Amino acid sequence: MAVLLYSKTIFPIIFLFLTLPSILKAELDAHYYDKTCPQAEKIISETVHSASTFDPKVPARILRMFFHDCFIRGCDASILLDSTATNLAEKDGPPNLSVHSFYVVDEAKAKLEKVCPHTVSCADIIAIAARDVVALSGGPSWNVLKGRKDGRVSKASETVNLPAPTLNVSQLIQSFAKRGLGVKDMVTLSGGHTLGFSHCSSFQARLHNFNLLNDIDPSLNTEFALDLRKKCPKLNTNFSAGQFLDSTAAVFDNDYYRQLLVGKGLFSSDQSLVGDHRTRWIVEAFAKDQNLFFQEFVTSMLKLGNVGVSENGEVRLNCKIVN
């Protein structure tokens, strides 16, 4: 299906392709490990399933990990690298402090190293695991393209480039365009917020002293806003308090879009999708047709999985450290 490209996004995408040719060298293949490690996907899927059964938070965390990895330096597992005495890594950047469940990838990697030493990249493990958690949660499945290499650089300072929950539609479009992703991809991938939970700090500014005219963000459903204020009071000392991202937060479905249409988007970035003509029609289409959302989500996840993929890099023996 065609991806929407507006005049403001065409130049950044072309510029990216012209200035970073090495990023596009590697060709990914759904059958990449068929001969070298045919058990790879089974091992990863079993590990993800086991972890998700033990901890229901794993699916949302793994999906978020994939997004955050691909948005910084491309899908190269740089988010998995530990900080060192001389470098603060991505996982310790402020937006990633709430990204958890790295142990799931580490467990899958340890099993793979016993069966297929130095073969399956950490970046491919994340991509496969992201597909698996979506499918486990009731969403679509797809053939993951594989063959990514693991990066050797990870900088916490670069996490400022992750889309913040306060961005407006124009800012979101620009952020996604820098990764070669269009408007429809942006709205579709935002649907990943159908899974998970957010702490008050990510949306509390919408609930208290919003602006000079409104104490509460007027785009919020009034009843919903009052409920959020109870959970997240102005002087909030409960740092674990928060709200699920939609009303079926453990199920991958189109409820996220239905909630946006009634003013129950938790982040201002989410709710902004309804207030802009460039994105509202997509929200409405997905709210009406879950199958359409699933179809477009697969397409956009495959595109996201290609961001920054290159032949440069390595296959780490341990996902936490470079070889």
Side-chain angles (χ1 to χ4, degrees), residues 25-79:
K25 284 183 180 178
E27 292 291 333
L28 301 183
D29 184 354
H31 304 286
Y32 189 82
Y33 296 114
D34 281 4
K35 294 182 178 179
T36 58
C37 192
Q39 313 98 311
E41 292 206 36
K42 181 181 179 183
I43 290 171
I44 296 167
S45 296
E46 288 177 348
T47 304
V48 169
H49 184 272
S50 177
S52 299
T53 300
F54 178 76
D55 182 359
K57 297 177 183 176
V58 165
R61 289 172 170 176
I62 294 293
L63 185 57
R64 187 165 178 239
M65 186 189 303
F66 178 65
F67 289 157
H68 282 217
D69 181 49
C70 292
F71 259 74
I72 306 296
R73 294 185 170 270
C75 308
D76 67 347
S78 53
I79 194 172

Side-chain angles (χ1 to χ4, degrees), residues 166-176 183 186-187 268-280:
T166 55
L167 297 187
N168 60 38
V169 169
S170 293
Q171 291 168 324
L172 288 168
I173 289 174
Q174 183 179 24
S175 177
F176 277 71
V183 176
M186 182 269 286
V187 179
S268 58
S269 57
D270 290 331
Q271 197 59 52
S272 71
L273 300 179
V274 175
D276 192 294
H277 72 278
R278 293 170 292 182
T279 51
R280 183 182 176 95

Side-chain angles (χ1 to χ4, degrees), residues 96 131 224 252 287 298 301 307:
N96 285 335
R131 182 272 314 273
F224 182 58
F252 193 95
V298 169
M301 283 290 280
V307 172

Side-chain angles (χ1 to χ4, degrees), residues 77-94:
S78 53
I79 194 172
L80 300 180
L81 288 171
D82 281 348
S83 295
T84 66
T86 58
N87 178 66
L88 195 65
E90 285 176 36
K91 65 168 59 171
D92 292 317

Side-chain angles (χ1 to χ4, degrees), residues 37-307:
C37 192
Q39 313 98 311
E41 292 206 36
K42 181 181 179 183
I43 290 171
I44 296 167
S45 296
E46 288 177 348
T47 304
V48 169
H49 184 272
S50 177
S52 299
T53 300
F54 178 76
D55 182 359
K57 297 177 183 176
V58 165
R61 289 172 170 176
I62 294 293
L63 185 57
R64 187 165 178 239
M65 186 189 303
F66 178 65
F67 289 157
H68 282 217
D69 181 49
C70 292
F71 259 74
I72 306 296
R73 294 185 170 270
C75 308
D76 67 347
S78 53
I79 194 172
L80 300 180
L81 288 171
D82 281 348
S83 295
T84 66
T86 58
N87 178 66
L88 195 65
E90 285 176 36
K91 65 168 59 171
D92 292 317
N96 285 335
L97 293 177
S98 58
V99 177
H100 301 289
S101 297
F102 296 109
Y103 73 91
V104 180
V105 179
D106 292 333
E107 286 182 8
K109 179 61 173 174
K111 294 174 184 176
L112 289 166
E113 284 302 308
K114 292 180 180 179
V115 178
C116 316
H118 205 188
T119 301
V120 181
S121 69
C122 301
D124 278 344
I125 295 174
I126 298 177
I128 294 167
R131 182 272 314 273
D132 290 341
V133 297
V134 169
L136 278 172
S137 303
S141 187
W142 59 92
N143 289 324
V144 176
L145 302 180
K146 299 169 284 288
R148 297 167 187 80
K149 293 296 185 288
D150 299 323
R152 302 183 182 94
V153 177
S154 182
K155 298 180 179 180
S157 60
E158 295 181 349
T159 61
V160 297
N161 296 315
L162 288 166
T166 55
L167 297 187
N168 60 38
V169 169
S170 293
Q171 291 168 324
L172 288 168
I173 289 174
Q174 183 179 24
S175 177
F176 277 71
K178 289 178 180 177
R179 281 85 181 172
L181 299 166
V183 176
K184 187 180 288 185
D185 296 310
M186 182 269 286
V187 179
T188 303
L189 292 172
S190 295
H193 285 169
T194 186
L195 295 179
F197 177 91
S198 174
H199 292 109
C200 295
S201 58
S202 294
F203 58 88
Q204 193 149 2
R206 304 181 70 196
L207 307 175
H208 310 278
N209 302 319
F210 179 69
N211 59 29
L212 293 176
L213 298 177
N214 301 283
D215 188 34
I216 298 175
D217 183 347
S219 68
L220 273 171
N221 173 284
T222 303
E223 184 179 348
F224 182 58
L226 293 176
D227 182 57
L228 291 177
R229 279 171 68 114
K230 292 178 183 177
K231 296 177 180 178
C232 305
K234 191 171 184 178
L235 298 176
N236 183 32
T237 57
N238 181 5
F239 299 110
S240 63
Q243 173 71 20
F244 290 105
L245 294 176
D246 73 13
S247 63
T248 58
V251 180
F252 193 95
D253 56 18
N254 67 338
D255 186 59
Y256 162 82
Y257 298 102
R258 295 197 299 267
Q259 296 299 310
L260 295 186
L261 291 176
V262 293
K264 294 184 179 181
L266 195 59
F267 302 144
S268 58
S269 57
D270 290 331
Q271 197 59 52
S272 71
L273 300 179
V274 175
D276 192 294
H277 72 278
R278 293 170 292 182
T279 51
R280 183 182 176 95
W281 70 273
I282 307 173
V283 172
E284 291 176 338
F286 290 162
K288 292 177 182 177
D289 190 340
Q290 181 167 280
N291 288 331
L292 176 63
F293 166 50
F294 282 6
Q295 176 186 332
E296 293 295 343
F297 190 79
V298 169
T299 299
S300 293
M301 283 290 280
L302 289 170
K303 289 182 66 176
L304 177 62
N306 272 294
V307 172

